[in-house]
Amino acid sequence: MCLIIHNPKAREISHEILDNAMNLNPDGFGIFFHDTKEIIHTMKWEETCDLLYAGRPYTAHFRYATSGPIGKKNCHPFPIDDTYSLMMNGTIDRLKSSRSVDTLELCKILNGLSESKMLDILATYACRFALLNRSTGNVTLVNHDLWTVRDGVHFSKGNCFPSELKPFNYTAPKSSYSLEQDEIDREWEEWLEAEDRKEVWITEDYEDDDEGCDIVQPVSCTNSLVSVAVYGTLKKGHGNHRLLTSSYCLGEGFTSDPYPLVIDNLPYVIDRKGKGKRVQVEVYRVDANTLDRLDGLEGHPDWYQRKQIQVQLYAGGTITAWVYMIPDAKSQTHMKDTGIYHNRY
């Protein structure tokens, strides 16, 4: 659902934050430079990086498509009239269309109105807006209570920040992104020892397409822990996360391969590897009792099915984790495949 970064003083923003912003919102980019009043749209990663690191005051929009086709012409901001343009983070359901963008439809409604009237109308929506004045270079942010401010920079949402997820009774290092894999392993071992937890491991041959490799897998036993990658309502901040509050969090990451994540009243990943997008997940180490509760919630194996796939962690390294998916065959009969695929929920 997009991201707006408002950086009026040209403050330096960390590479981690900007990389996350681009990875999580891959469907186009637009930027408004306050000093020259210039608007640039692009679909190119390299150009986006050059624009963000130009050292100039800007307001930028990273698009995550929820309505309308993906392409340069649907990148924000959209013109309202000869003076004003608009960026939006959020969705207005009644304006959504498969052929147009809700923000563009809103701009048509605002056309011809005074600035004060535009701001009054925008404030009635539970979205974050940046109203750009192309004559003066000024930017007005709407619905301030929905924005996050860090070091003088406004973010329309905070999912681009380095992971603030912390495992149970564990103090994370200052920058998890700088960790090498051996450091991650050492932190994990220290946590296991502190919690007096036991694990038994075996190594089995894991087939991935035509390439075999050795993957370490936990043996099923009462005290063993397994990795589970979750999306949807099991993630932090959602209702079903209560099942994971005492589990160790390895951090956030993406599925190594694309999968179709459909959001149709509820989110579900279809077991169709190579289709869709790489899905953002949170990865936890869970014990047998927690795994049983997760199976019960997801209706495994009769509804969702639990399957092991490869997940790349933001902090570095690739692990094997269980993910709950809808079987591909069932997506054709019981669950609707809308054809609109997301990379996060």
Side-chain angles (χ1 to χ4, degrees):
M1 290 184 35
C2 305
L3 169 69
I4 304 171
I5 297 179
H6 177 60
N7 188 6
K9 297 187 181 298
R11 298 283 175 82
E12 183 176 349
I13 302 175
S14 73
H15 295 295
E16 291 91 344
I17 290 176
L18 294 179
D19 283 349
N20 288 345
M22 290 186 283
N23 279 315
L24 294 172
N25 305 278
D27 299 328
F29 176 80
I31 192 166
F32 174 61
F33 285 115
H34 303 176
D35 50 0
T36 60
K37 311 173 189 64
E38 179 185 14
I39 291 176
I40 300 173
H41 301 109
T42 184
M43 300 294 293
K44 298 178 180 179
W45 179 284
E46 296 82 1
E47 187 178 3
T48 298
C49 292
D50 291 342
L51 294 169
L52 289 170
Y53 293 113
R56 299 164 59 188
Y58 66 80
T59 302
H61 185 280
F62 305 77
R63 186 180 182 222
Y64 179 82
T66 55
S67 70
I70 294 173
K72 190 174 180 178
K73 70 176 185 178
N74 283 333
C75 294
H76 297 225
F78 293 98
I80 297 173
D81 52 29
D82 292 337
T83 301
Y84 295 97
S85 292
L86 186 68
M87 294 178 177
M88 181 175 80
N89 172 200
T91 302
I92 302 176
D93 287 336
R94 67 183 181 87
L95 299 179
K96 288 175 65 175
S97 165
S98 61
R99 294 185 298 273
S100 184
V101 178
D102 50 358
T103 311
L104 179 58
E105 297 305 311
L106 178 59
C107 287
K108 295 176 183 178
I109 295 172
L110 299 176
N111 181 267
L113 302 178
S114 66
E115 179 177 327
S116 60
K117 187 62 176 177
M118 290 183 199
L119 295 174
D120 287 343
I121 292 175
L122 293 175
T124 65
Y125 296 102
C127 301
R128 280 77 76 199
F129 298 98
L131 183 64
L132 319 177
N133 188 318
R134 303 194 307 276
S135 296
T136 64
N138 293 332
V139 176
T140 303
L141 303 184
V142 182
N143 294 327
H144 283 95
D145 57 318
L146 302 178
W147 293 72
T148 299
V149 183
R150 283 198 175 184
D151 300 322
V153 181
H154 290 71
F155 299 84
S156 61
K157 59 183 180 184
N159 69 334
C160 60
F161 301 142
S163 176
E164 296 179 354
L165 294 169
K166 297 180 178 64
F168 182 64
N169 286 341
Y170 172 77
T171 302
K174 289 184 178 179
S175 178
S176 61
Y177 281 75
S178 65
L179 290 179
E180 297 297 335
Q181 188 61 46
D182 58 346
E183 293 180 88
I184 297 172
D185 294 340
R186 184 168 60 253
E187 294 283 358
W188 168 240
E189 293 297 335
E190 290 175 355
W191 182 83
L192 281 177
E193 292 175 3
E195 295 297 315
D196 193 27
R197 296 185 178 231
K198 304 284 186 185
E199 281 198 299
V200 180
W201 300 87
I202 60 172
T203 300
E204 64 180 42
D205 187 61
Y206 176 83
E207 294 293 334
D208 185 5
D209 297 329
D210 298 326
E211 189 174 344
C213 58
D214 285 339
I215 299 292
V216 177
Q217 306 278 17
V219 177
S220 296
C221 63
T222 304
N223 293 324
S224 70
L225 302 177
V226 297
S227 297
V228 177
V230 302
Y231 58 93
T233 61
L234 282 167
K235 293 174 68 175
K236 186 178 180 182
H238 295 277
N240 288 320
H241 183 72
R242 66 185 186 280
L243 298 178
L244 295 168
T245 53
S246 62
S247 298
Y248 176 91
C249 177
L250 285 176
E252 296 178 318
F254 279 90
T255 59
S256 295
D257 296 294
Y259 287 91
L261 169 58
V262 176
I263 302 176
D264 185 37
N265 293 322
L266 72 161
Y268 46 93
V269 169
I270 299 173
D271 186 6
R272 195 184 304 151
K273 179 177 167 182
K275 184 83 171 179
K277 301 180 180 181
R278 297 174 66 194
V279 179
Q280 185 193 25
V281 293
E282 294 169 5
V283 184
Y284 294 85
R285 300 289 289 168
V286 305
D287 58 25
N289 290 333
T290 301
L291 190 63
D292 285 343
R293 291 196 294 271
L294 294 175
D295 284 350
L297 173 71
E298 304 289 10
H300 169 77
D302 299 321
W303 193 243
Y304 288 82
Q305 290 183 0
R306 177 161 45 83
K307 178 179 180 178
Q308 284 186 311
I309 66 170
Q310 298 293 289
V311 174
Q312 294 181 357
L313 294 174
Y314 281 142
T318 300
I319 64 169
T320 302
W322 292 103
V323 176
Y324 291 94
M325 298 184 177
I326 293 294
D328 192 12
K330 187 171 289 186
S331 72
Q332 309 300 323
T333 56
H334 295 74
M335 304 292 280
K336 182 179 179 182
D337 182 357
T338 63
I340 301 174
Y341 305 136
H342 304 264
N343 71 342
R344 69 181 301 274
Y345 175 88

